[in-house]
Amino acid sequence: MRWVEVAARRIAQHASRGRSGLEWPRFGSRETALRWGEPFGPTTWSRALAGRVGRPTGKARSKDGGSGGQGSKPATRGPIVALSPDQITEPKHELAQLLWKFGLPCGMDERENAFPIFYADSKIDMSLDDMKELMRTHCVACIKCTMNNTIVTMTDYKGAVKTQCSAGSVGFAGPKRGQPGRRAAACSRAAHARVGIPDVPCTSQYRALRAFASESKPHAQQQARPSQQAGTAGAPSVLGLNVASPQQQPPKAKRDPFPVLSGGKLDPSESFMTGTNAAVLEQMYDRYMEDPSKLHASWVAFFNNIEADVKPGQAVALSRQSRNQLSKIPASMTEGRDLFQVSEDTIKLMAMMRAYRHRGHLVADLDPLQLNDSIDVDDVLVPYISRKELEPSYYGFTEADLDREFVVSGEIPGPAVRKLRDVYNLLRESYCGKVGVEYRHMVSKEEKVWISSFVENPNKSKFSVAEKKIILEDLARAELFEKFLSFKHSTAKRFGLEGGESVIPGLLALVEHGAALGVENVIMGMPHRGRLNVLGHVVRKPLEQIFHEFTPHEDPDADQYLGSGDVKYHLGTSQEASLRNGRRVHFSLLANPSHLEAVDPVVMGKTRAKQFFTDDFDRRKTVAVTLHGDASFAGQGVVAEVLELSDLRDYTVGGTIHIVVNNQIGFTTDPRYARSSPYPTDVAKTVGIPIFHVNGDSAEDVVRVCMLAMEYRQRFGKDVVIDVFCYRRHGHNELDQPMFTQPLMYKRIKEHPTVLNVYAKQLISEGAVTEAEYKEMHDTIMAEFNKRFIAAKDWKPHMKDWLASQWKGIQSPHIFCSPRKTGVKEEHLREIGLKTCRLPTGFRAHPLIKKIFAERRTSIELGESIDWATAEAMAFGTLLAEGTHVRLSGQDCERGTFSQRHAVLHDQDKPSNYIPLNNLTPKQAKFRVCNSNLSEMAVLGFETGYSLESPNVLVLWEAQFGDFANGAQVIIDTFIAAGEKKWRRQSGIVLLLPHGYEGQGPEHSSARLERYLQMCDDDPDVVPDLDSESTKQIQECNWQVCNPSTPANYFHLLRRQIHRGFRKPLVVMTPKSLLRHPQCKSSLSDFEEGTSFIRVQPDVTPGLKAPHEIRRLVLCSGKVFFDLFRERTKRDVEDVALVRIEQISPFPYDLVAKEIRKYPNADLVWCQEESKNMGAWSYVLPRLETTLRHFDLNPSRRIRYAGRSPSAAPATGNALTHAEETTALLNASLH
Ligand SMILES: Cc1ncc(C[n+]2csc(CCOP(=O)(O)OP(=O)(O)O)c2C)c(N)n1
Ligand SMILES: [Mg+2]
């Protein structure tokens, strides 16, 4: 039997059950159709189905004026919603344009977003030329094809839909034999063949289907309807073709256990048995008849059922589970609706839920000032989405639908079947209250589910009366503290928290909840705003101390502990505190510079170090918490850098909790000028972490969100952001006038009750507290502040306030630390040295690495020609063996920019690494070498923070090339150069900055030595009291800037960082070409016991003339020495001495004087390869003059400069010019 016959029989069965014949199901969109189609068979089948929506049928067209017979001239066609030429703008509408050109009105089905469907009510062809001809012949009225993702539907006036393919071509049938359309059909078959689609026999289907179509009665009425009706959203907006009007809906069908939905239509489960699909059906059926094993099981089951003449609706074999599920569908969900409508409803409901989860936050009640109310929200906060999307009406739901039930099982918490009204209310409460949640951008499904299960939980934590009182008291303390300070110091700036006080109960809850979840240490960083409040109420810095710091210089000794000091709203502290829940937490609030956000990476680094030193392997005991301003979080690039660090193996801290005190202003700048994104926190979306926006006037919600954030962090070990929408009650500081720039906002703020007032009123009205209780609370707090204020007068700073316990034994600059030798016993040196270049058996290292390591071994065994990288490895190795943790971080530092280090070896055959420095001795400390991300500021900030935690670690940051360090200038200026002076916190961080003029152009030559020297705080005019090793001089300076020229000196320089009683930052100019220079080598004896760092390298070259015969003393530093030495040797110059200054700062006055004195008849030259306005020249010149003066070394002597001329760019990009400049500076030095 042919399929057409089978189909005819089937349709007859439907008709006998009182159903109409062919009617096209309605879909909301193509996606909907796709989704709906999937359960019925293979995906390709579903896709085919999806394309066939909204099809007109023949009778209706006739009724609308269309001609009734094939080949007859088409009359005015039926209700076409025209797409006018000026609407046809996109290239993909080319076909529509053509239709229009030929005077054929066409419309576009706007629902089909991905594949616009053009409906043309006339005769056209598919290829553009053929189409013209076809149109002329009038033998085909409508064809559907896909061209460049555009589906064109052309239907003949009989509604016989032509065969279709989805591969960019077309198949159709219809024209009578001998008519021109026939040719077009052949054309399209050829096109099919071209794209590899088997052609389909169409004529027979065409006839059969035309026959069916003529039997299908309701179509005529249906076609008379102009367009989509209310309640049928998603039906085509053009042609009015396939919409079942409410009036026309047939009486409800009784539900049966195998649900066939009511609606007087072809049973939906078999609705694909229509003309459009005839070709496919026929193919499938033929195959089934031939060999069922060639078909998908779903097809076989279907045809088996057809063959068995099962009842209408039962041919598609649903699984038992599906049947069971279907039988549970509530009546109100299906009543009066067909299967497609029901599915459409469900999909729309899902879409609505999705909209809330994605965008509910955009309309949440977040702003205490309601500033956006007066402005079109679409312009300000919601530039790309309408509020409408969150309304049921957007999805076609009416008021009446609100009480209909839907199956929502698994999608939202609670019963499986819910009224639309309940779902809507739950979504609004969950996503549009005082908390807005952004989390759908996250990658992890598990995390999303975890968050939604909390947010959508209607019973989420409600506070007890006791808890509410705690929140009230915390809020009262926060507000009254600011009031008290403003009263006592009305003219002092304190950058108060007023307007954002709910952050204090939030932070306290966060810490307390964290402590209950295992947190023992909280490391915090924050800007100026609210700092004193946080110090006093969260970190528990004694209020006496805070009040005391408001009256500076009362105690002259205090400077010993306070350093050169900083403004009070930058100071940090470290404090052990007992919490209300009986637990204890150690707080560190880092001191911070004025540079907003610069402290963020420092907090992370300190946290990571604390985790390391406390074996906090899962990072749950120490938590980083950073506070931010809204403008700075959005504006400062370091925020993005820090977020990028957050999940990197060597930098993660298991999640930082970021709290943005979003007072909706930055100094005088409105948010719309402060960022391009709706929220200040949008940058955090890049790393897929949740963002909670919360109305700061709702203290309970702030507390709830803080607890949730802590819970998330402890559970998933990731960053989380809390955005507290609040306001700033005063100007930028208390002395600032905000009305100059934000008059309207500040008028509103003036009228706005304080956060405390809002909450107190709420609790009083709830009956949680009485007015009297509230007043008593208020008075008690004020009395306590008064008491502490009085006690502040007698407060004395203590050393313990400044040095944490792990820094015990580290001396302040006031206590002299004797110098220590940094040399190492020969056997130990050899043992460690050899282990640093040993390869484990079976490890397949790269052949070149084997060679390099063999050379290293030989140099150690022979005790000669030890190069830079070997010396560095020996410095690290000996420190590690002694128990000092070493951490080296920077871009590509594992291998080294110049392929010199090879600290991590990679097996060439398997994914296995070997780190020699972690395989030295069983008891050695940990070596961590970390390839960083491509950031300077965040990474250097991180390492600085790491170095602040403990003195028992050598922390090194290496720039890829020295000049890239300027990307981290803020960290260098504010933390490294000045940190100890401002905050009395020591750091032994080492900056390794590749430096040297090697003809590589302006950008890779100079590490900008001059900048580091310019920041040195040693007095150029005063020679300090130098002891034998000048340690005291270093102790009193802010940092050391060195340019070692030998591997051994570099070895000692690194070890000296640890082998001393204090910590001091070290900036090292490190070599590039010298890494492989044959003369830049050291002997093992230079590393051995008794040796140490040499600040000035005298000239000990054999063959030089006697000192009094030396004509010139050339002072220099670093690589240029080797150029001078080579040239001097080449020219046989014997009366010029070359002396290297290895420690440029603090300046080695004593040793330089010794060298000058050694050569009484020599003139003095300073030689450098940098330009005159760069390098060390500006630093050394005044110090050399001071040396001559101080040590009475013929002070009238002139010191000559030999180096490059002043220049804007650090170096030339022309290799020839570079060589000429080098020759010139060598000539100037030696002639
Ligand atoms: C890197 C940096 N640039 C500029 C400033 C000057 N400045 C101090 S506060 C401020 C506004 C900060 O606004 P926001 O981050 O919203 O914090 P708020 O003061 O509102 O709490 C500016 C621009 C600064 N401190 N740091
Ligand atoms: Mg702000």
Side-chain angles (χ1 to χ4, degrees):
M1 206 191 306
R2 307 251 337 136
W3 168 248
V4 280
E5 294 158 40
V6 176
R9 195 179 72 211
R10 197 82 191 139
I11 289 205
Q13 284 170 353
H14 276 276
S16 70
R17 279 178 58 125
R19 295 172 195 285
S20 59
L22 300 174
E23 172 155 312
W24 292 93
R26 284 169 296 167
F27 290 109
S29 71
R30 181 170 183 277
E31 283 150 54
T32 314
L34 274 175
R35 279 219 211 168
W36 182 238
E38 267 154 19
F40 288 91
T43 316
T44 45
W45 169 240
S46 313
R47 292 225 172 89
L49 251 182
R52 283 149 226 254
V53 296
R55 187 76 65 248
T57 51
K59 286 207 168 167
R61 283 176 181 272
S62 300
K63 196 168 177 181
D64 285 337
S67 142
Q70 210 176 37
S72 60
K73 198 173 173 181
T76 316
R77 293 298 170 191
I80 293 168
V81 176
L83 194 63
S84 67
D86 57 350
Q87 289 171 297
I88 303 169
T89 49
E90 293 183 50
K92 65 183 179 186
H93 298 165
E94 183 191 336
L95 205 49
Q97 248 162 344
L98 194 104
L99 296 176
W100 193 264
K101 206 164 131 194
F102 279 85
L104 302 168
C106 63
M108 191 176 88
D109 185 346
E110 291 162 349
R111 297 164 313 138
E112 302 281 341
N113 292 330
F115 291 82
I117 296 186
F118 295 101
Y119 292 91
D121 200 24
S122 192
K123 301 169 183 178
I124 52 174
D125 195 357
M126 31 284 340
S127 87
L128 301 183
D129 284 335
D130 283 352
M131 197 184 297
K132 289 178 207 165
E133 189 170 353
L134 204 65
M135 279 186 259
R136 248 178 269 127
T137 64
H138 296 270
C139 61
V140 171
C142 189
I143 295 168
K144 178 161 184 152
C145 71
T146 59
M147 288 179 71
N148 302 328
N149 281 351
T150 301
I151 297 175
V152 178
T153 301
M154 295 178 272
T155 309
D156 80 0
Y157 43 82
K158 282 286 180 194
V161 179
K162 309 304 176 272
T163 56
Q164 173 197 344
C165 75
S166 57
S169 184
V170 80
F172 75 97
K176 274 185 180 163
R177 201 177 288 276
Q179 283 199 332
R182 194 72 193 153
R183 227 185 67 214
C187 263
S188 71
R189 275 201 290 279
H192 275 202
R194 269 204 308 281
V195 293
I197 294 178
D199 201 1
V200 287
C202 357
T203 316
S204 58
Q205 298 145 23
Y206 174 72
R207 290 204 196 99
L209 292 168
R210 199 156 57 116
F212 302 152
S214 61
E215 288 164 23
S216 88
K217 298 200 171 65
H219 290 154
Q221 299 158 355
Q222 195 183 328
Q223 291 303 307
R225 277 199 320 282
S227 180
Q228 173 182 347
Q229 304 288 324
T232 56
S237 59
V238 290
L239 297 179
L241 297 175
N242 59 337
V243 182
S245 82
Q247 305 94 301
Q248 192 195 311
Q249 278 174 6
K252 292 171 199 166
K254 257 196 186 159
R255 294 184 71 212
D256 62 28
F258 199 127
V260 173
L261 303 178
S262 54
K265 299 175 177 116
L266 183 70
D267 186 282
S269 71
E270 293 177 26
S271 62
F272 56 91
M273 289 167 54
T274 53
T276 308
N277 309 320
V280 183
L281 287 164
E282 184 162 339
Q283 263 185 321
M284 293 295 171
Y285 187 67
D286 288 350
R287 255 187 245 173
Y288 169 78
M289 296 302 273
E290 257 171 57
D291 179 4
S293 68
K294 287 184 187 158
L295 279 180
H296 187 273
S298 61
W299 280 111
V300 178
F302 169 67
F303 288 125
N304 283 346
N305 287 337
I306 292 280
E307 289 298 306
D309 266 351
V310 296
K311 284 185 196 156
Q314 295 188 359
V316 177
L318 291 179
S319 67
R320 183 182 296 277
Q321 192 193 1
S322 309
R323 262 182 260 171
N324 288 342
Q325 278 171 353
L326 282 170
S327 66
K328 286 185 203 149
I329 293 174
S332 76
M333 188 174 172
T334 56
E335 222 165 36
R337 311 177 86 71
D338 65 25
L339 189 53
F340 288 100
Q341 283 174 306
V342 170
S343 64
E344 193 179 63
D345 283 349
T346 309
I347 286 158
K348 287 188 297 188
L349 184 62
M350 294 291 189
M352 192 174 89
M353 287 184 196
R354 186 176 180 277
Y356 272 92
R357 286 170 179 154
H358 279 258
R359 288 182 280 278
H361 58 87
L362 288 172
V363 295
D365 177 14
L366 300 176
D367 179 7
L369 301 178
Q370 303 287 325
L371 290 173
N372 283 330
D373 269 10
S374 51
I375 317 163
D376 180 3
V377 82
D378 283 356
D379 284 350
V380 181
L381 199 59
V382 199
Y384 47 85
I385 190 77
S386 155
R387 280 169 179 254
K388 290 190 193 105
E389 208 190 344
L390 300 170
E391 289 305 326
S393 57
Y394 179 84
Y395 302 90
F397 294 124
T398 61
E399 192 63 33
D401 290 327
L402 288 175
D403 288 317
R404 275 178 48 218
E405 287 182 310
F406 291 83
V407 178
V408 292
S409 54
E411 279 305 312
I412 52 171
V417 176
R418 307 285 283 275
K419 283 191 177 155
L420 177 60
R421 188 186 300 283
D422 295 344
V423 175
Y424 173 72
N425 287 341
L426 180 70
L427 291 171
R428 287 216 74 91
E429 270 166 34
S430 306
Y431 293 102
C432 308
K434 303 270 182 191
V435 178
V437 193
E438 282 189 279
Y439 68 113
R440 299 313 291 186
H441 57 277
M442 291 162 61
V443 179
S444 160
K445 170 112 179 139
E446 185 199 352
E447 291 171 34
K448 283 194 267 195
V449 168
W450 186 84
I451 291 175
S452 63
S453 67
F454 181 89
V455 174
E456 292 172 11
N457 183 354
N459 306 316
K460 54 181 161 274
S461 55
K462 300 242 176 348
F463 294 109
S464 66
V465 170
E467 286 166 334
K468 286 177 186 222
K469 280 185 181 164
I470 288 174
I471 297 173
L472 183 70
E473 188 182 331
D474 291 345
L475 209 49
R477 282 184 177 278
E479 184 174 314
L480 297 177
F481 176 77
E482 300 288 356
K483 278 213 171 93
F484 185 81
L485 279 179
S486 74
F487 176 67
K488 294 289 181 192
H489 300 278
S490 55
T491 54
K493 290 184 203 168
R494 63 193 148 79
F495 294 97
L497 190 58
E498 292 103 319
E501 290 95 335
S502 53
V503 167
I504 298 294
L507 270 171
L508 284 164
L510 181 131
V511 172
E512 279 168 13
H513 194 54
L517 298 171
V519 172
E520 294 171 7
N521 304 292
V522 177
I523 306 209
M524 297 179 68
M526 69 177 295
H528 50 280
R529 176 87 47 223
R531 190 180 186 93
L532 300 177
N533 220 319
V534 171
L535 274 168
H537 293 118
V538 181
V539 179
R540 327 288 163 96
K541 179 172 177 171
L543 291 182
E544 293 84 341
Q545 191 177 346
I546 296 176
F547 294 146
H548 179 89
E549 284 160 9
F550 261 87
T551 45
H553 309 304
E554 275 186 352
D555 180 356
D557 294 339
D559 186 52
Q560 184 176 341
Y561 307 106
L562 296 174
S564 64
D566 199 344
V567 286
K568 43 209 154 288
Y569 39 83
H570 287 167
L571 297 177
T573 198
S574 169
Q575 201 77 34
E576 189 84 17
S578 297
L579 306 180
R580 283 182 291 228
N581 57 10
R583 294 170 196 271
R584 286 182 76 74
V585 158
H586 185 272
F587 285 103
S588 302
L589 175 67
L590 268 70
N592 68 297
S594 180
H595 287 67
L596 294 165
E597 307 295 345
V599 76
D600 303 351
V602 186
V603 170
M604 276 181 83
K606 188 171 161 68
T607 306
R608 173 85 182 207
K610 177 108 164 174
Q611 291 170 345
F612 175 84
F613 284 108
T614 57
D615 295 334
D616 183 7
F617 302 116
D618 66 359
R619 313 196 185 286
R620 298 297 187 268
K621 285 195 281 188
T622 299
V623 172
V625 178
T626 49
L627 274 77
H628 315 262
D630 51 323
S632 57
F633 197 74
Q636 292 292 300
V638 71
V639 173
E641 290 189 27
V642 157
L643 288 164
E644 282 302 334
L645 281 187
S646 67
D647 214 12
L648 299 182
R649 186 195 61 181
D650 292 322
Y651 301 88
T652 181
V653 295
T656 300
I657 300 177
H658 305 269
I659 302 176
V660 179
V661 181
N662 180 0
N663 54 19
Q664 310 186 71
I665 194 163
F667 211 141
T668 64
T669 304
D670 288 336
R672 70 196 134 134
Y673 302 114
R675 56 181 192 257
S676 295
S677 54
Y679 297 107
T681 51
D682 287 287
V683 62
K685 283 191 187 172
T686 55
V687 288
I689 55 172
I691 301 166
F692 299 101
H693 307 282
V694 55
N695 189 320
D697 259 7
S698 179
E700 285 184 15
D701 280 306
V702 174
V703 167
R704 198 174 284 123
V705 160
C706 285
M707 290 167 77
L708 176 63
M710 178 55 87
E711 191 128 356
Y712 171 85
R713 189 269 175 204
Q714 288 299 86
R715 193 180 182 97
F716 297 107
K718 288 199 182 160
D719 283 26
V720 48
V721 179
I722 303 167
D723 174 22
V724 184
F725 261 71
C726 52
Y727 57 91
R728 190 186 70 191
R729 187 158 286 279
H730 307 293
H732 177 57
N733 61 60
E734 294 67 30
L735 314 178
D736 218 31
Q737 177 50 270
M739 292 294 277
F740 290 155
T741 49
Q742 272 78 19
L744 301 182
M745 182 186 194
Y746 273 83
K747 270 182 199 152
R748 205 174 271 202
I749 289 174
K750 222 171 174 180
E751 291 156 10
H752 196 74
T754 66
V755 189
L756 177 61
N757 277 345
V758 172
Y759 193 52
K761 211 167 148 193
Q762 179 194 324
L763 293 200
I764 291 167
S765 72
E766 280 175 16
V769 286
T770 62
E771 298 240 17
E773 278 172 332
Y774 174 54
K775 184 167 181 316
E776 193 190 332
M777 182 187 281
H778 180 286
D779 293 347
T780 312
I781 292 169
M782 286 306 267
E784 186 196 327
F785 289 162
N786 257 317
K787 200 171 117 206
R788 305 271 199 110
F789 185 77
I790 293 163
K793 292 198 182 82
D794 303 324
W795 181 84
K796 289 256 178 290
H798 303 294
M799 198 60 186
K800 78 168 177 48
D801 297 332
W802 296 100
L803 283 185
S805 54
Q806 60 271 33
W807 285 80
K808 275 199 184 102
I810 295 295
Q811 302 301 340
S812 82
H814 306 274
I815 302 166
F816 174 62
C817 304
S818 349
R820 299 183 209 161
K821 296 286 176 197
T822 46
V824 177
K825 276 196 178 111
E826 189 195 336
E827 319 82 77
H828 186 57
L829 204 53
R830 268 191 213 281
E831 183 201 336
I832 297 294
L834 289 172
K835 282 182 178 170
T836 64
C837 41
R838 185 184 57 186
L839 293 169
T841 40
F843 188 85
R844 306 260 304 161
H846 188 277
L848 220 57
I849 300 279
K850 284 188 192 162
K851 185 168 167 280
I852 293 168
F853 273 40
E855 283 167 8
R856 285 187 190 180
R857 277 198 301 276
T858 309
S859 69
I860 296 168
E861 278 157 4
L862 297 176
E864 286 304 331
S865 285
I866 293 170
D867 68 7
W868 198 274
T870 312
E872 182 188 81
M874 291 204 298
F876 292 164
T878 49
L879 287 172
L880 291 163
E882 290 157 7
T884 301
H885 168 39
V886 175
R887 179 179 163 99
L888 167 64
S889 143
Q891 291 149 30
D892 310 291
C893 69
E894 291 180 10
R895 190 201 73 171
T897 304
F898 312 100
S899 207
Q900 82 282 15
R901 182 170 290 123
H902 302 293
V904 180
L905 307 179
H906 298 264
D907 193 297
Q908 300 295 299
D909 292 335
K910 49 183 191 290
S912 156
N913 292 342
Y914 179 70
I915 302 176
L917 282 164
N918 270 331
N919 290 278
L920 303 173
T921 64
K923 288 193 175 157
Q924 71 163 97
K926 181 89 185 154
F927 174 61
R928 192 105 203 177
V929 57
C930 328
N931 277 354
S932 78
N933 67 339
L934 216 166
S935 142
E936 280 77 27
M937 181 157 171
V939 178
L940 181 55
F942 186 100
E943 303 310 337
T944 304
Y946 204 100
S947 73
L948 290 172
E949 173 59 20
S950 166
N952 302 319
V953 53
L954 178 67
V955 185
L956 309 101
W957 174 75
E958 183 172 67
Q960 186 118 86
F961 282 93
D963 43 359
F964 295 126
N966 59 14
Q969 202 64 51
V970 176
I971 301 292
I972 294 168
D973 291 353
T974 61
F975 282 95
I976 302 176
E980 189 187 6
K981 286 287 149 95
K982 290 191 289 188
W983 309 315
R984 275 291 175 260
R985 289 290 198 259
Q986 295 187 9
S987 158
I989 186 147
V990 180
L991 274 63
L992 301 178
L993 309 176
H995 174 76
Y997 281 52
E998 289 161 4
Q1000 286 186 359
E1003 256 56 271
H1004 292 102
S1005 299
S1006 174
R1008 300 292 198 161
L1009 171 63
E1010 62 279 2
R1011 293 203 182 140
Y1012 300 94
L1013 292 173
Q1014 195 240 339
M1015 277 190 273
C1016 295
D1017 67 354
D1018 61 334
D1019 190 334
D1021 303 322
V1022 178
V1023 175
D1025 190 11
L1026 289 157
D1027 60 89
S1028 62
E1029 293 286 337
S1030 175
T1031 300
K1032 191 80 198 302
Q1033 183 196 19
I1034 298 175
Q1035 270 182 274
E1036 286 175 348
C1037 288
N1038 62 330
W1039 62 5
Q1040 316 145 84
V1041 181
C1042 297
N1043 193 7
S1045 64
T1046 70
N1049 224 20
Y1050 177 50
F1051 168 89
H1052 290 295
L1053 184 58
L1054 294 180
R1055 286 180 51 79
R1056 187 177 81 162
Q1057 279 300 92
I1058 295 298
H1059 285 280
R1060 56 171 42 154
F1062 59 95
R1063 294 290 173 264
K1064 195 68 65 176
L1066 166 66
V1067 181
V1068 191
M1069 299 293 119
T1070 57
K1072 296 181 289 180
S1073 63
L1074 286 193
L1075 293 166
R1076 294 184 177 79
H1077 195 288
Q1079 278 164 329
C1080 187
K1081 302 275 161 88
S1082 297
S1083 304
L1084 198 66
S1085 56
D1086 299 334
F1087 298 77
E1088 288 171 15
E1089 213 172 2
T1091 58
S1092 58
F1093 179 70
I1094 298 169
R1095 287 178 290 141
V1096 172
Q1097 297 267 16
D1099 196 339
V1100 290
T1101 317
L1104 269 194
K1105 288 192 169 165
H1108 68 277
E1109 288 179 74
I1110 293 294
R1111 153 176 77 86
R1112 176 170 302 155
L1113 169 59
V1114 177
L1115 295 157
C1116 62
S1117 185
K1119 176 189 146 266
V1120 74
F1121 164 79
F1122 293 94
D1123 296 336
L1124 286 164
F1125 187 83
R1126 189 197 62 234
E1127 204 57 26
R1128 185 179 69 174
T1129 313
K1130 200 169 118 195
R1131 298 182 192 186
D1132 283 335
V1133 176
E1134 294 171 351
D1135 54 0
V1136 174
L1138 305 174
V1139 167
R1140 285 165 274 172
I1141 300 184
E1142 306 271 298
Q1143 176 184 298
I1144 310 176
S1145 178
F1147 195 70
Y1149 289 100
D1150 51 342
L1151 298 182
V1152 171
K1154 192 172 153 197
E1155 292 303 310
I1156 294 175
R1157 187 172 287 126
K1158 199 192 282 178
Y1159 307 105
N1161 300 317
D1163 63 2
L1164 295 179
V1165 169
W1166 171 259
C1167 174
Q1168 66 176 33
E1169 53 182 4
E1170 299 88 350
S1171 302
K1172 202 173 192 175
N1173 53 331
M1174 299 170 191
W1177 172 238
S1178 310
Y1179 178 85
V1180 295
L1181 178 63
R1183 286 164 178 84
L1184 283 174
E1185 287 169 350
T1186 301
T1187 310
L1188 297 180
R1189 215 174 37 246
H1190 182 88
F1191 293 94
D1192 201 14
L1193 298 165
N1194 188 3
S1196 59
R1197 265 199 281 182
R1198 192 173 150 247
I1199 300 146
R1200 216 155 41 81
Y1201 170 78
R1204 288 182 165 80
S1205 306
S1207 160
T1212 173
N1214 182 328
L1216 227 60
T1217 314
H1218 167 77
E1220 281 166 14
E1221 287 173 354
T1222 308
T1223 309
L1225 73 89
L1226 294 175
N1227 285 341
S1229 302
L1230 298 173
H1231 279 312

